[in-house]
Amino acid sequence: MSLNCYSVRGVVSEIQRFSVHDGPGIRTLVFLKGCPLRCRWCCNPENLSREPQYMMVGGKEKLIGREMSVKEVMKEVCKDLIYYRRSGGGITISGGECLLQYRFTASLLEAAKLEGFTTAIETSSFAGERALETVLPWVDTALCDIKHVDDEKHIMFTGQSNRLILENIGKIGISDADLIIRVPVIPGFNDTEEEISDIAHYAAGIRGVKKLHLLPYHRLGESKYKGLGMEYSLEDTEPLSPERMEILLAAARTSGLPCQVGG
């Protein structure tokens, strides 16, 4: 470990405190700018571009994203150190895609280790080998999406193949990180029992997977598209009912993995 990690800089869109859904314990989420995927349902479109940009929020322009050093980020993160120690929590790096800024992500996680609390990443796993090699040694928990096992459908709805993603998730599975698979359940994309069962059974075959979480589609990010002057292609799509999610949960559990809705 080296104190040099504190000087590394990256582009951060938001630091969100007191999360209990993105890794163990009470956590602080650090959202980074930039993502190589273009998922139709993305709820953080302000993080697609790596560059800072203006978004209309409440009728006013707001600058989203600023360059920060690891030292600056950790000053905010460490405000809740007492909660991390009591709950086993810590820092979770999200996005966008945190592996796009992999040197910054690795340095943030290294600094967290120096401060003595746990680390997690939320990732699509779409990244090069160097990114994984740099980041994984500092990760305690990896929250990884498997959106679909059908490559053609994955390309249609995200703009990218799932081949590299699935390959990388396999590599994460044999690392020291606890691996949790997340499935964003999107109407018209992967919301049949067969599709969810296929994803869950694929996940069950990956070494190191601890749990599978089904994440129901929601429209909470729709206003952000308007604020950015972007089209939201799923504006006519309604969230699935709790009853439907329970049916899909039962399909996922046929894999033998511990499964839950949300998380």
Side-chain angles (χ1 to χ4, degrees), residues 104-129:
F104 184 56
T105 294
S107 297
L108 280 170
L109 300 176
E110 181 181 356
K113 290 292 190 181
L114 287 168
E115 300 291 347
F117 47 85
T118 65
T119 62
I121 57 172
E122 291 183 326
T123 177
S124 70
S125 306
F126 189 90
E129 186 175 353

Side-chain angles (χ1 to χ4, degrees), residues 150-213:
D150 181 275
D151 191 42
E152 184 176 340
K153 203 165 188 181
H154 195 279
I155 293 171
M156 186 185 306
F157 277 76
T158 73
Q160 298 286 359
S161 170
N162 65 8
R163 293 175 184 173
L164 177 61
I165 290 169
L166 298 178
E167 178 183 336
N168 283 340
I169 291 176
K171 293 177 181 178
I172 294 170
I174 60 174
S175 74
D176 292 331
D178 288 337
L179 176 56
I180 297 174
I181 299 299
R182 288 180 157 186
V183 184
V185 183
I186 312 301
F189 171 58
N190 64 358
D191 63 328
T192 68
E193 291 102 309
E194 180 181 5
E195 287 169 309
I196 293 299
S197 176
D198 286 347
I199 294 170
H201 280 83
Y202 185 94
I206 300 172
R207 177 179 168 185
V209 174
K210 305 297 184 184
K211 302 174 184 177
L212 185 141
H213 296 168

Side-chain angles (χ1 to χ4, degrees):
M1 292 187 180
S2 169
L3 293 178
N4 292 335
C5 64
Y6 284 91
S7 64
V8 178
R9 303 181 70 82
V11 183
V12 178
S13 67
E14 183 182 4
I15 298 175
Q16 180 180 308
R17 300 165 66 190
F18 301 113
S19 171
V20 294
H21 300 294
D22 302 277
I26 296 172
R27 312 193 68 79
T28 296
L29 272 61
V30 180
F31 292 89
L32 306 187
K33 292 272 283 172
C35 184
L37 272 62
R38 292 297 181 267
C39 304
R40 296 185 187 181
W41 59 89
C42 179
C43 60
N44 293 316
E46 74 277 17
N47 290 335
L48 295 177
S49 170
R50 186 165 175 169
E51 302 301 319
Q53 63 193 129
Y54 284 96
M55 181 172 72
M56 295 298 294
V57 180
K60 298 181 180 180
E61 275 194 336
K62 179 181 179 181
L63 181 63
I64 306 296
R66 66 186 180 105
E67 187 176 278
M68 300 180 71
S69 68
V70 169
K71 183 178 180 179
E72 290 174 309
V73 174
M74 294 305 296
K75 183 178 179 181
E76 292 298 310
V77 173
C78 286
K79 290 178 179 179
D80 296 321
L81 187 58
I82 187 172
Y83 298 109
Y84 309 148
R85 288 175 176 166
R86 287 178 176 175
S87 69
I91 187 173
T92 298
I93 315 299
S94 187
E97 174 48 64
C98 65
L99 295 180
L100 195 63
Q101 298 189 55
Y102 67 88
R103 291 187 180 88
F104 184 56
T105 294
S107 297
L108 280 170
L109 300 176
E110 181 181 356
K113 290 292 190 181
L114 287 168
E115 300 291 347
F117 47 85
T118 65
T119 62
I121 57 172
E122 291 183 326
T123 177
S124 70
S125 306
F126 189 90
E129 186 175 353
R130 176 62 64 86
L132 281 184
E133 291 176 346
T134 304
V135 171
L136 278 181
W138 309 106
V139 177
D140 293 320
T141 301
L143 305 163
C144 300
D145 280 6
I146 295 182
K147 300 174 174 69
H148 215 293
V149 292
D150 181 275
D151 191 42
E152 184 176 340
K153 203 165 188 181
H154 195 279
I155 293 171
M156 186 185 306
F157 277 76
T158 73
Q160 298 286 359
S161 170
N162 65 8
R163 293 175 184 173
L164 177 61
I165 290 169
L166 298 178
E167 178 183 336
N168 283 340
I169 291 176
K171 293 177 181 178
I172 294 170
I174 60 174
S175 74
D176 292 331
D178 288 337
L179 176 56
I180 297 174
I181 299 299
R182 288 180 157 186
V183 184
V185 183
I186 312 301
F189 171 58
N190 64 358
D191 63 328
T192 68
E193 291 102 309
E194 180 181 5
E195 287 169 309
I196 293 299
S197 176
D198 286 347
I199 294 170
H201 280 83
Y202 185 94
I206 300 172
R207 177 179 168 185
V209 174
K210 305 297 184 184
K211 302 174 184 177
L212 185 141
H213 296 168
L214 300 182
L215 307 182
Y217 166 73
H218 61 75
R219 299 175 63 170
L220 298 179
E222 185 174 359
S223 63
K224 297 179 181 180
Y225 286 82
K226 295 177 181 178
L228 292 165
M230 298 170 62
E231 179 185 357
Y232 184 61
S233 62
L234 298 186
E235 63 180 354
D236 296 324
T237 301
E238 294 297 328
L240 298 172
S241 68
E243 293 77 16
R244 181 61 184 163
M245 288 303 304
E246 285 299 317
I247 292 172
L248 296 178
L249 179 61
R253 285 177 171 160
T254 63
S255 67
L257 282 174
C259 300
Q260 67 186 61
V261 174

